[in-house]
Amino acid sequence: MAATHVDLLLLHPPSVYDFREKSILYGPVSDMVPSSVMFELYPIGFLTMAQYLEERGMRTRIVNVALRMLTDKRFDLERFLRKQRPKMIGIDLHWMPHCHGAIEVARVAKRVHPDVPVIFGGLSSSYFHEELLEYPEIDFVLRGDSTEPPLHQLLLALERGEPLDDIPNLTWRKDGVVTANALTFVPQTLDYVDVRPELLIDMAIRYRDLESVLPFNGWLRNPTTMVLPLKGCAFECTTCGSSATTCTHLTMRKKPVYRSPISLADNLAAIGRLSRGTIVIPGDLLQGGLGYATAVIDEIAARGVSNDICFEFFDVPPIEFLRHIDAKLPTWSFEVSPESHDPVVRHAMEGGASYDNEAMETLLRQALELRCTRIDVFYMIGLQYQTYESVMETIDYCEHLFEFGDPRLQCFISPMGPFLDPGSQIFEEPERFGYRKLAHTVEEHRQLLVQPSWEHILNYETMWMTRAQLVDATYDAAERLNALKLRYGRIAPKRAKAVADGIAGARALRERLNAAMANGADGAAFEQLRGDIARLNHSTVSDKQELFWQRHVFSFKLNAIAKAGLDYVFGRRPGTAPSTAL
Ligand code: B12
Ligand code: SF4
């Protein structure tokens, strides 16, 4: 097959590069997100970077390496890369759990294409930018939460042999010395670039490769999409690597920036033309004020989007806003994350959003009187002041919520992990918050990721729970919550049994792994457990299907997809000029 020439090849790594050869019990660290333990979901920013460059005549290709490796035993990155002729290779290290895979993918890329520059980006790359440049296989890091124009500038400068001193946000080696240009590209609008779902169709056709652009394993069965309304955050959660304070250092963003209601609604409508799947709007629209949030709903309604839309709220939303949604949208749902039932724990963690249970319950009862299709309430394990007993009381509190008697109300609990977020207040000053941080550098995190079990992968423990106790609390809480879900009809008996068996199996396996470690076992001993580990690495604390919304018989609008494909093939795609020029 002929080599594929592209200006930028974007690769999304698995969490651990050689996971197919390793026997590691990663634990329930990804149970609350659509991806598997390899965190195969790539950043939304891949789409905006690709779109921005394509609009300026540059060819890009997205390859979800993690997904390809998960779904095809024979997928060989090195062989694949040998067929590519990229001018630059981009790898995301946005989420810290990718630090093993990202650097190994960079190594393979450099081995195959020693003369092609390798660039990293994302929040974790921004935090560790200087350390990353110590790895010879990484040439550049683009810092910040928005990088499209600097990336374009860099590609042009490299092509023309121009100096790189004026490219904002860039960390690079100038005459062998690591140099961080100022982080000055911090856009005050997000409308300079569109996110067009058709781009993925174009890429799938252009490179005859659908699998590489899919967001996560199983997406074709559950085509949930996400539309990000803002960057940054106004809240101050102590555990968050993108809280208001963290952003002021990490991304130089003094306050959140929003997509305009029109741009956001256009994005939803574009998705709705191709798919019937649920569209999630994370990040809480109300951060932009009631006027902004209401305008977004009105714009979505004006476009007649009929997909279920799931909102995320960081604080208790005013019931009038929910009534407005209910009046305007055909089908909707929402999620809240009180993290703990205990006001002391919650207050310590959530700067600014410390609502009390009473306010939340009033809201939940009022919301259940509306047409919303479901409400998910998320709790977390590993917080300041949180003891084992407190976690168990959270489960008692979940029973109290189930007693509302409405099957649309669902509860989840999961451990904070595998890592504390770099740049979060707790990561920066662990002792002040009662934490012990067990890894500081990228390399230390990489070493943690290849430990035999998640008990040894977690990069922290607290004054209130050791790593072993965090694991105990997780399995015990999950087991009790699963039993409650069965008792209150929130989960089918078959599914509840599968979850219970999974938790029991994971517990037993943990004992065997710990015993093997205590006896100084070698790789061969862990190898014997490989089958069990692989089986128990999926959805431990709850079934992943619980996360997904009701499926449609036909999730995709095939005629519209076919038309979009033909429009691309025959060059009929109407130009989508960015709304705001930069
Ligand atoms: C939306 C969101 C999600 C969505 C994912 C959306 C998506 N596909 O991107 C969901 C809910 C699925 C999710 C999951 C997770 N998340 Co999250 N998430 C967020 C949230 C709210 C917004 C982040 C965001 O994407 N902003 C947009 C930005 C910053 O990036 P972007 O536009 O995608 O990309 C731009 C730049 O980052 C950069 N860039 C990114 N990649 C690359 C690559 C190259 C080569 C270059 C040059 C540039 C570049 O340029 C892009 C274009 O401008 C933040 C909190 C916050 N307020 O920021 C947490 C946050 C990013 N998530 C976090 C975490 C830990 C996770 C999970 C690991 C949690 C878990 N254990 O399950 C998973 C990982 C899932 C996976 N990859 O499979 C942490 C990250 C901390 C860290 N540094 O590691 C954050 C900061 C806070 C938190 N604790 O939730 N998340
Ligand atoms: S965890 Fe807290 S600070 Fe971070 S994005 Fe969510 S609400 Fe904002």
Side-chain angles (χ1 to χ4, degrees):
M1 193 197 257
T4 311
H5 293 263
V6 291
D7 292 280
L8 179 66
L9 178 62
L10 285 167
L11 304 178
H12 177 63
S15 171
V16 173
Y17 178 62
D18 45 353
F19 69 95
R20 295 183 294 191
E21 284 92 55
K22 285 196 156 47
S23 305
I24 297 176
L25 182 65
Y26 297 101
V29 291
S30 67
D31 276 16
M32 295 303 126
V33 293
S35 13
S36 70
V37 288
M38 280 306 114
F39 292 112
E40 70 271 18
L41 185 67
Y42 54 79
I44 293 179
F46 267 25
L47 300 177
T48 55
M49 288 188 285
Q51 176 72 24
Y52 190 88
L53 296 178
E54 294 264 333
E55 276 167 2
R56 284 153 187 82
M58 288 186 171
R59 284 268 153 126
T60 54
R61 178 171 185 187
I62 293 173
V63 178
N64 190 340
V65 176
L67 183 62
R68 296 293 305 269
M69 291 178 84
L70 275 167
T71 55
D72 180 358
K73 278 202 299 282
R74 289 163 311 157
F75 179 80
D76 180 297
L77 179 63
E78 190 153 345
R79 202 166 51 220
F80 172 82
L81 286 176
R82 266 192 244 119
K83 293 184 202 137
Q84 312 303 315
R85 291 283 170 274
K87 289 190 187 157
M88 186 187 272
I89 294 176
I91 300 169
D92 64 292
L93 177 51
H94 182 49
W95 297 280
M96 199 55 190
H98 292 98
C99 64
H100 184 276
I103 288 169
E104 297 308 315
V105 167
R107 285 190 175 143
V108 178
K110 257 305 182 226
R111 202 160 55 233
V112 178
H113 297 292
D115 301 326
V116 174
V118 169
I119 183 165
F120 269 42
L123 290 178
S124 300
S125 300
S126 303
Y127 184 84
F128 287 112
H129 61 120
E130 283 170 333
E131 190 189 332
L132 287 173
L133 266 276
E134 287 169 19
Y135 293 88
E137 39 283 301
I138 302 172
D139 300 289
F140 302 112
V141 174
L142 261 183
R143 282 132 52 219
D145 65 20
S146 308
T147 61
E148 299 83 1
L151 183 60
H152 182 232
Q153 274 172 267
L154 176 64
L155 281 159
L156 286 179
L158 290 174
E159 195 166 299
R160 295 170 185 160
E162 290 171 359
L164 307 181
D165 306 74
D166 292 336
I167 295 177
N169 305 19
L170 185 68
T171 305
W172 56 299
R173 283 186 211 91
K174 183 176 182 173
D175 305 324
V177 179
V178 174
T179 305
N181 296 353
L183 203 168
T184 47
F185 183 73
V186 188
Q188 298 310 308
T189 165
L190 296 180
D191 289 0
Y192 63 89
V193 58
D194 283 326
V195 190
R196 286 194 312 109
E198 295 90 344
L199 182 62
L200 295 180
I201 299 176
D202 298 357
M203 277 192 202
I205 295 175
R206 193 191 293 160
Y207 305 112
R208 295 191 184 82
D209 178 8
L210 171 65
E211 190 80 4
S212 286
V213 296
L214 297 180
F216 56 85
N217 202 0
W219 184 80
L220 290 173
R221 287 191 306 277
N222 286 301
T224 302
T225 48
M226 194 166 264
V227 172
L228 199 64
L230 79 161
K231 291 196 177 183
C233 186
F235 290 93
E236 284 290 10
C237 302
T238 52
T239 52
C240 181
S242 190
S243 67
T245 303
T246 305
C247 285
T248 58
H249 312 299
L250 188 63
T251 58
M252 298 298 166
R253 196 168 280 300
K254 305 286 176 246
K255 54 183 182 48
V257 59
Y258 302 88
R259 280 179 82 179
S260 69
I262 289 178
S263 156
L264 200 62
D266 282 347
N267 195 172
L268 269 96
I271 295 171
R273 277 195 290 277
L274 303 175
S275 149
R276 294 185 178 83
T278 297
I279 306 174
V280 181
I281 305 187
D284 196 345
L285 288 174
L286 287 160
Q287 287 198 67
L290 188 57
Y292 169 77
T294 307
V296 170
I297 303 303
D298 293 346
E299 291 293 343
I300 297 173
R303 283 156 186 74
V305 178
S306 59
N307 305 55
D308 186 49
I309 299 176
C310 175
F311 299 90
E312 183 183 25
F313 295 118
F314 291 165
D315 212 333
V316 169
I319 187 64
E320 292 69 35
F321 180 58
L322 297 192
R323 290 196 180 117
H324 188 72
I325 297 177
D326 205 45
K328 292 276 183 165
L329 301 183
T331 160
W332 63 286
S333 53
F334 73 92
E335 55 190 51
V336 283
S337 303
E339 312 296 14
S340 167
H341 75 290
D342 180 343
V344 175
V345 176
R346 189 185 308 158
H347 185 75
M349 173 186 168
E350 291 184 344
S354 305
Y355 46 85
D356 56 29
N357 290 334
E358 206 184 335
M360 184 183 79
E361 286 182 28
T362 306
L363 184 267
L364 294 179
R365 286 185 197 281
Q366 288 174 324
L368 289 169
E369 283 166 18
L370 305 175
R371 292 179 301 110
C372 68
T373 52
R374 64 186 269 183
I375 304 175
D376 290 341
V377 184
F378 288 93
Y379 291 99
M380 193 139 72
I381 300 171
L383 305 173
Q384 194 182 9
Y385 302 123
Q386 193 184 39
T387 57
Y388 174 90
E389 291 70 32
S390 169
V391 174
M392 295 308 128
E393 284 163 17
T394 295
I395 303 302
D396 297 339
Y397 183 75
C398 290
E399 177 163 22
H400 168 64
L401 295 181
F402 288 156
E403 280 166 352
F404 284 18
D406 195 312
R408 290 173 296 166
L409 187 59
Q410 188 61 292
C411 295
F412 297 91
I413 192 158
S414 67
M416 179 167 68
F419 297 149
L420 298 176
D421 291 5
S424 63
Q425 294 179 56
I426 282 183
F427 191 89
E428 296 306 298
E429 297 181 273
E431 293 79 18
R432 180 155 88 86
F433 295 94
Y435 281 68
R436 193 158 78 88
K437 191 167 81 177
L438 303 168
H440 303 76
T441 61
V442 173
E443 201 49 44
E444 285 170 359
H445 282 90
R446 280 164 50 79
Q447 296 310 322
L448 282 182
L449 277 171
V450 292
Q451 296 304 307
S453 109
W454 69 285
E455 179 172 345
H456 307 97
I457 293 175
L458 291 176
N459 74 350
Y460 71 97
E461 54 191 13
T462 74
M463 264 173 63
W464 304 272
M465 280 191 269
T466 61
R467 287 196 288 189
Q469 287 166 328
L470 287 165
V471 174
D472 286 339
T474 301
Y475 288 146
D476 292 355
E479 199 163 51
R480 287 191 52 211
L481 185 59
N482 185 52
L484 284 177
K485 285 181 183 173
L486 177 65
R487 176 142 35 102
Y488 285 87
R490 299 299 201 277
I491 186 171
K494 198 169 156 206
R495 195 166 275 178
K497 179 167 181 331
V499 172
D501 290 350
I503 297 170
R507 257 209 199 100
L509 187 58
R510 174 197 182 205
E511 298 304 323
R512 287 158 71 195
L513 283 169
N514 282 352
M517 282 178 88
N519 293 332
D522 58 5
F526 296 120
E527 193 53 30
Q528 286 177 353
L529 300 173
R530 178 193 281 245
D532 286 345
I533 291 177
R535 189 170 50 80
L536 294 163
N537 260 339
H538 300 289
S539 305
T540 326
V541 297
S542 65
D543 187 321
K544 187 108 25 218
Q545 290 307 319
E546 289 179 52
L547 286 183
F548 294 114
W549 292 259
Q550 204 179 359
R551 277 197 230 162
H552 297 268
V553 182
F554 298 107
S555 297
F556 293 99
K557 299 182 178 172
L558 296 179
N559 286 346
I561 292 175
K563 182 177 176 309
L566 289 172
D567 284 347
Y568 172 71
V569 172
F570 293 109
R572 294 192 305 240
R573 168 99 61 248
T576 46
S579 341
T580 313
L582 261 189

